[in-house]
Amino acid sequence: MAGFVGVVVSDPWLQSQFTQVELRSLKAKREHGHVRVSDLPPAMAKVKSIKDAVTKEEISSILEESYPDTGQEIEFEQFLRECLIVQAKAAEKLGGAKNSSSFLKASTTTLLHTINESEKASYVAHINAYLRDDSYLKTFLPIDPASNEIFNIVKDGVLLKLINVAVPGTIDERAINTKRVLNPWERNENHTLCLNSAKAIGCTVVNIGTQDLVEGRPHLVLGLISQIIKIQLLADLNLKKMPQLVELVDDSKDIEELLNLPPEKMLLKWMNFHLQKAGYKKPVTNFSSDLKDGEAYAYLLNVLSPEHCSLDTLDAKDPTERAKLVLDHAEKMDCKRYLTPTDIVEGSTNLNLAFVAQIFHQRNGLSISSKKVSFAEMMPDEVQASREERAFRMWINSLGITTFVNCVFEDLKNGWVLLEVLDKVSPGSVNWKHASKPPIKMPFRKVENCNQVVRIGKQLKLSLVNVAGNDIVQGNKKLILAYLWQLMRFDIMQLLKNLKFHSQGKEITDTDILNWANRKIKSSGRTSQIESFKDKSLSNGIFFLELLSSVEPRVVNWNLVTKGATDDEKKLNATYIISVARKLGCSVFLLPEDIMEVNPKMILVFTASLMCWSLQQASEDSETSEISTDDSSSLKAPSDGEDSSSVAADSLSNLNIDDAASDTSQVENASSIGEEIVAVSPTKD
């Protein structure tokens, strides 16, 4: 499977939107590299996400808007883009995503040019409130909610600042180009930094590029803003940041389930907790239809703030009048107005969610001190596992799969998400006829999915010793993290391998990446060198800053770099490194702590991402020198009778999950970042 070669599209993002089966089917319709518009409807009708929603006649009608001449020929990649437009309209016809995470995905995965004026006004008000004191943006703010000025201001970096409001410290503002007049290169760098940082905090941006921000495309800009604001509003809805939430469960055994609950579901659970206490009989299961009549809001505000809101609100027979009273009472509690009475009556999911989140932050009504809270605070915090879970979750969501992942340990148990990921990193590897799609009621179907996950992993030469599908179903955290690490590593290695003129068709190994980084720095006249990805000298960040400067000399401002002598200086350098890499165009998911503590797995993937970017930017003449004949010995050739794909996997057996082995040589060290997954029976303390 590692050697599978499918249909390759020059635009990686565009290729990621289709399965290999779909690409092969669509490509079969080409004639001499082009396809006629009249051929598109029958070809598009074979795409799974289109055929169930629109007919060939409807597809023809959609295409006629852009191509009146049905005999016109278009190139294959434009053909694929037209498929996405039709796919978006099909999704709208089906009513869009129906799961609780649709807010995160729908806004940026549609090409429909429609915007909600009420949502726009709410988002503008949010930006005005939170960024009004920003020294760089104060000349642009406040924005008039009734105008379209927000789409022009996006071009000047407002989203970069908003990301840092949502998740403080995500972007090192020293890396932002802040001149009053930016040239196209500098403006593009800012937008690249914005999109890669948005991905790193959990936004889905698979259908938006830097040009969309340059042009200020309303539907895409609002979609991205809505995701950033939602992440900000729901940031504290977890047990680690707010132990009081443990009051929502009756038994301490349920706390682990609460730990894995997505934030929007946690918000619903909190709302129902108080509604039940207030005597409200109907459970609220969504932020739309269940809130239209305003009754749930009246009960919620009454139990949280009886001095400001009485149940007399229910006497109002007109839903709009009742909604107005609800908002008036909420304003007395200093809750920001994210919506209007009409938004409540019409069931605006996005704005209702934002409003409920505001109520939660203003007055959550939970106990400040209790035995349960003490118990929650005493729960062990697996810092390393938590950081890795976050990195893998963000990486999975960046792939553009259908399912949005809120918690790796919980959402991967049924095997479906892992199958989606495998289909992205190794197109054509999944047998979808033998896969069961959620919701899955029968436990053995989950095991079947996970068995296929393990089987494909072995075909990809991942190290899976004594591992069965049931281990994933049972939620073995250590095993799941180890599997995802190998999968992420496989993905970046495949990207490097596909640059065949660099590796001469040979497998890329950890050692090659190490050697490339050392050579790159040496060729720039600098002196930093490392012996392995565990080298403790990496903690000060100087090596990576020199590497970044080597691949793009103008990208590092050395006046901002510290010596990395203290922990504070190391963190400044690490934060700057990550932002500069994202500014270049690298999708990286590690945290500053991963650099400071020298996490070899995350550092390997980070370095590989820089290598991939560098090789893609170089001209073909200079590219052949990136992996020179002098270094060809580092590309281990298979011996007689040995499978070349097994050579690439050799490094995976050299490091146990606990990673306790010491280093003896550069080659051994570089190869030992691989992870072996071994199923181990639990032992008693």
Side-chain angles (χ1 to χ4, degrees), residues 418-432:
L418 283 171
L419 290 174
E420 287 188 280
V421 173
L422 285 164
D423 193 50
K424 289 291 184 183
V425 303
S426 181
S429 61
V430 178
N431 185 341
W432 291 109

Side-chain angles (χ1 to χ4, degrees), residues 58-75:
E58 289 173 320
I59 295 173
S60 298
S61 178
I62 294 170
L63 293 173
E64 282 177 6
E65 297 175 11
S66 303
Y67 301 99
D69 180 9
T70 58
Q72 180 180 345
E73 289 188 340
I74 61 174
E75 294 184 353

Side-chain angles (χ1 to χ4, degrees), residues 28-231:
K29 292 292 182 181
R30 289 194 307 169
E31 293 181 9
H32 310 295
H34 293 75
V35 64
R36 290 189 299 274
V37 174
S38 59
D39 294 329
L40 299 187
M44 289 182 179
K46 294 183 179 180
V47 179
K48 180 170 61 175
S49 56
I50 294 176
K51 64 182 181 181
D52 295 331
V54 291
T55 64
K56 292 180 184 179
E57 291 73 21
E58 289 173 320
I59 295 173
S60 298
S61 178
I62 294 170
L63 293 173
E64 282 177 6
E65 297 175 11
S66 303
Y67 301 99
D69 180 9
T70 58
Q72 180 180 345
E73 289 188 340
I74 61 174
E75 294 184 353
F76 181 57
E77 293 197 9
Q78 185 57 38
F79 171 28
L80 296 179
R81 295 182 192 280
E82 294 300 327
C83 281
L84 293 180
I85 293 175
V86 175
Q87 185 178 9
K89 292 184 181 291
E92 184 193 47
K93 185 175 179 181
L94 288 174
K98 297 181 179 179
N99 58 52
S100 60
S101 298
S102 62
F103 182 90
L104 276 174
K105 294 184 70 69
S107 297
T108 53
T109 55
T110 175
L111 298 180
L112 300 175
H113 295 240
T114 58
I115 61 174
N116 184 305
E117 288 295 331
S118 186
E119 288 188 13
K120 184 190 75 173
S122 294
Y123 301 154
V124 167
H126 183 93
I127 290 171
N128 286 338
Y130 283 93
L131 295 177
R132 62 189 173 193
D133 297 326
D134 187 273
S135 58
Y136 177 68
L137 294 173
K138 63 183 179 182
T139 57
F140 303 106
L141 302 178
I143 307 166
D144 181 4
S147 72
N148 287 325
E149 187 60 23
I150 179 64
F151 306 120
N152 292 322
I153 294 178
V154 161
K155 303 172 186 177
D156 294 296
V158 68
L159 290 182
L160 289 165
K161 302 287 188 172
L162 193 60
I163 288 171
N164 265 2
V165 170
V167 184
T170 299
I171 298 173
D172 188 330
E173 297 198 5
R174 296 175 297 170
I176 302 174
N177 298 320
T178 56
K179 294 190 307 185
R180 282 300 167 194
V181 180
L182 300 177
N183 62 42
W185 178 275
E186 293 167 331
R187 190 183 294 271
N188 186 69
E189 282 186 333
N190 278 355
H191 292 321
T192 302
L193 173 59
C194 173
L195 292 179
N196 282 321
S197 299
K199 280 195 287 187
I201 66 170
C203 294
T204 301
V205 295
V206 294
N207 221 21
I208 184 171
T210 57
Q211 189 60 29
D212 298 313
L213 299 184
V214 170
E215 296 175 6
R217 295 186 180 178
H219 61 298
L220 294 176
V221 169
L222 283 185
L224 185 54
I225 290 174
S226 69
Q227 293 187 77
I228 297 170
I229 291 175
K230 180 190 176 184
I231 288 169

Side-chain angles (χ1 to χ4, degrees), residues 197-461:
S197 299
K199 280 195 287 187
I201 66 170
C203 294
T204 301
V205 295
V206 294
N207 221 21
I208 184 171
T210 57
Q211 189 60 29
D212 298 313
L213 299 184
V214 170
E215 296 175 6
R217 295 186 180 178
H219 61 298
L220 294 176
V221 169
L222 283 185
L224 185 54
I225 290 174
S226 69
Q227 293 187 77
I228 297 170
I229 291 175
K230 180 190 176 184
I231 288 169
Q232 176 190 344
L233 293 175
L234 300 184
D236 293 335
L237 273 155
N238 60 74
L239 271 181
K240 293 176 183 176
K241 290 189 176 181
M242 191 163 286
Q244 299 97 307
L245 286 167
V246 74
E247 190 178 343
L248 302 183
V249 295
D250 296 325
D251 197 318
S252 59
K253 294 180 181 178
D254 297 327
I255 292 179
E256 186 172 353
E257 180 184 344
L258 205 62
L259 276 169
N260 298 325
L261 208 60
E264 57 265 46
K265 289 186 178 179
M266 183 79 82
L267 194 60
L268 284 173
K269 192 173 186 69
W270 167 80
M271 190 175 188
N272 283 308
F273 172 78
H274 284 301
L275 289 176
Q276 189 175 9
K277 287 202 303 184
Y280 187 67
K281 302 300 181 183
K282 296 180 292 185
V284 175
T285 60
N286 58 65
F287 294 102
S288 181
S289 58
D290 288 354
L291 301 176
K292 284 183 177 182
D293 59 13
E295 290 185 6
Y297 277 135
Y299 276 95
L300 179 66
L301 294 179
N302 175 253
V303 74
L304 292 176
S305 181
E307 71 276 18
H308 294 310
C309 181
S310 71
L311 290 179
D312 292 342
T313 305
L314 299 172
D315 295 337
K317 301 303 180 184
D318 178 42
T320 303
E321 179 61 27
R322 187 183 302 143
K324 183 180 182 302
L325 290 173
V326 164
L327 294 178
D328 289 341
H329 295 318
E331 197 162 3
K332 293 177 183 177
M333 294 169 57
D334 294 327
C335 290
K336 290 184 176 64
R337 281 209 176 198
Y338 276 95
L339 73 178
T340 65
T342 302
D343 296 323
I344 293 178
V345 173
E346 293 181 352
S348 173
T349 301
N350 295 353
L351 298 183
N352 272 313
L353 184 147
F355 182 53
V356 176
Q358 268 295 318
I359 296 172
F360 173 84
H361 285 294
Q362 201 61 34
R363 189 172 296 194
N364 60 49
L366 299 175
S367 302
I368 296 176
S369 61
S370 70
K371 292 181 179 180
K372 283 186 176 181
V373 172
S374 300
F375 178 79
E377 290 175 334
M378 290 169 56
M379 292 186 69
D381 183 15
E382 301 174 23
V383 177
Q384 184 69 23
S386 178
R387 285 214 308 261
E388 290 189 4
E389 187 276 338
R390 174 202 166 277
F392 296 140
R393 172 164 36 91
M394 301 306 178
W395 170 67
I396 290 172
N397 288 331
S398 76
L399 296 174
I401 64 174
T402 303
T403 309
F404 188 86
V405 176
N406 287 290
C407 175
V408 161
F409 303 128
E410 191 66 29
D411 296 348
L412 270 58
K413 285 182 178 180
N414 62 23
W416 180 262
V417 171
L418 283 171
L419 290 174
E420 287 188 280
V421 173
L422 285 164
D423 193 50
K424 289 291 184 183
V425 303
S426 181
S429 61
V430 178
N431 185 341
W432 291 109
K433 292 182 180 179
H434 294 164
S436 298
K437 186 176 182 179
I440 304 173
K441 296 182 179 180
M442 303 299 292
F444 76 92
R445 295 294 184 192
K446 298 178 183 179
V447 176
E448 285 179 348
N449 280 355
C450 292
N451 282 341
Q452 185 174 182
V453 167
V454 173
R455 187 163 59 250
I456 295 172
K458 291 178 179 179
Q459 291 169 348
L460 298 180
K461 306 301 180 184

Side-chain angles (χ1 to χ4, degrees), residues 457-488:
K458 291 178 179 179
Q459 291 169 348
L460 298 180
K461 306 301 180 184
L462 306 188
S463 181
L464 303 168
V465 181
N466 297 327
V467 175
N470 195 52
D471 297 315
I472 299 174
V473 175
Q474 295 300 318
N476 185 317
K477 292 183 178 181
K478 196 172 185 180
L479 184 149
I480 290 172
L481 289 178
Y483 187 96
L484 287 174
W485 148 241
Q486 291 196 81
L487 210 51
M488 179 188 270

